Amino acid sequence: MMSSLYNNIGTGRILFCFVWLSTQAVFISGDPLWSDVCTQEPAKSMPFCDPSLELEDRVTDYTKRIPTENQILMMSNLASGFQPLHIPPYQWWSEGLHGPLEPCVQYQDKCACPTSFPCPSALGAAFNTTLYHQIGAAIGKEGRAIANLRKHNNGIGDGITYWSPTINLQRDPRWGRNQEVPGEDPHLTGQYSAAFVKGLQGTGTKLQMGACCKHFIANSLEGRPGVNFSRYNFDARIDDADLNDYYLPPFRDCVKEAIGVMCSYNALNGVPTCANEWLLKTKLREEW
């Protein structure tokens, strides 16, 4: 495990790192994300760079300074920057499902690579929330440590926001992503997600890594040859009883801990989930 990298990189993975070098680049010098935004004028004198203010006030100040046309360009996984305030582009898309989607890194004379844990379908069989929390914490610590050491290029896997955990339910063995989720039981999945997210994001006053609960909601198919539907056009018809007893509880447990949630491509009872006011506003923001 590479957890020691957070303070001091251990030597246990040096051999593996040299083997891995043959196919992947190791980034040697650090390049911290957003390290100089609040060190330059005019940004450093603005309220959003004042850590003594409430987060909500800082966010409000920041967003009002970005023109609408520039905000639109930030509404994708690769968000454009805003040069007048020295805001660089940011890649939101990275993964930490069972280990950081990060490269090996080198610091001084030591080299280390991220840990790959068992897939969630195997972890679910442990029925052990303490273990889920510990694995999430290890992934978060490794991911943050690597982010502090690596060069950043805005490619997928570059940021400190992980699109994990996946907490859809195992409804069909033909779904090609069953290995990404802990099982078919909503209670287990909810307990897994809450413990994992708490570990990943850390318990300190500052966020270690950002978690994202996905895919909200009723996303358990990808499509296959010979059928005329896929996750992009499927309309999941679910009655209130199944929705409230089965599909919603895992996400309720997850989003109460995570900083983000990803809506799914499919529709729910005729309304696309990413445009579903009942899901995104009533459930997520008001009830939960």
Side-chain angles (χ1 to χ4, degrees):
M1 186 180 296
M2 200 202 68
S3 297
S4 59
L5 176 61
Y6 195 60
N7 296 310
N8 180 33
I9 300 177
T11 59
R13 286 181 176 264
I14 292 179
L15 177 61
F16 176 72
C17 191
F18 287 148
V19 174
W20 206 74
L21 275 170
S22 64
T23 57
Q24 296 286 341
V26 170
F27 300 94
I28 298 176
S29 58
D31 180 25
L33 285 167
W34 290 42
S35 60
D36 58 356
V37 172
C38 290
T39 64
Q40 306 176 69
E41 292 290 0
K44 73 176 184 178
S45 300
M46 295 178 177
F48 73 83
C49 277
D50 185 352
S52 68
L53 299 178
E54 293 293 329
L55 179 60
E56 191 71 24
D57 295 331
R58 297 176 68 186
V59 171
T60 299
D61 178 75
Y62 171 74
T63 52
K64 76 179 184 181
R65 298 178 188 277
I66 310 296
T68 301
E69 56 268 27
N70 292 94
Q71 291 188 25
I72 293 172
L73 298 176
M74 296 177 178
M75 301 297 287
S76 67
N77 61 284
L78 179 54
S80 66
F82 186 61
Q83 187 58 40
L85 295 181
H86 308 292
I87 304 296
Y90 179 73
Q91 175 60 258
W92 289 93
W93 185 355
S94 189
E95 303 281 356
L97 187 68
H98 59 98
L101 179 62
E102 304 279 359
C104 296
V105 289
Q106 183 173 335
Y107 178 70
Q108 297 178 353
D109 62 340
K110 297 180 176 67
C111 182
C113 297
T115 304
S116 181
F117 293 93
C119 62
S121 60
L123 295 177
F127 296 97
N128 188 330
T129 55
T130 301
L131 177 65
Y132 306 150
H133 182 274
Q134 290 175 338
I135 290 176
I139 293 172
K141 188 173 288 188
E142 289 187 12
R144 188 58 177 242
I146 294 173
N148 290 341
L149 290 172
R150 64 174 291 185
K151 285 286 188 180
H152 293 281
N153 55 18
N154 297 319
I156 294 173
D158 187 61
I160 55 174
T161 42
Y162 283 173
W163 290 2
S164 303
T166 305
I167 56 170
N168 297 112
L169 298 162
Q170 292 182 352
R171 297 288 294 166
D172 188 330
R174 295 170 296 178
W175 183 37
R177 301 177 70 171
N178 278 318
Q179 75 278 8
E180 292 186 32
V181 301
E184 61 183 355
D185 180 75
H187 178 70
L188 170 65
T189 302
Q191 293 292 299
Y192 166 88
S193 65
F196 179 88
V197 167
K198 287 179 182 178
L200 183 73
Q201 295 188 158
T203 56
T205 57
K206 294 184 178 180
L207 190 69
Q208 179 172 257
M209 299 292 288
C212 177
C213 312
K214 66 179 186 183
H215 312 82
F216 190 57
I217 193 170
N219 180 95
S220 297
L221 60 82
E222 304 297 310
R224 60 184 186 274
V227 298
N228 60 359
F229 60 84
S230 70
R231 62 177 179 164
Y232 301 110
N233 62 10
F234 182 70
D235 182 15
R237 296 285 176 169
I238 305 173
D239 61 35
D240 289 345
D242 281 347
L243 193 60
N244 288 289
D245 291 344
Y246 191 74
Y247 289 95
L248 288 174
F251 282 93
R252 177 197 60 213
D253 295 341
C254 188
V255 302
K256 285 184 175 182
E257 305 296 340
I259 65 166
V261 61
M262 180 193 296
C263 53
S264 55
Y265 288 114
N266 57 275
L268 173 66
N269 296 329
V271 182
T273 63
C274 291
N276 193 314
E277 185 174 358
W278 179 75
L279 283 175
L280 303 183
K281 182 180 179 181
T282 303
K283 281 295 179 184
L284 285 181
R285 291 177 170 85
E286 296 176 358
E287 292 187 18
W288 296 347

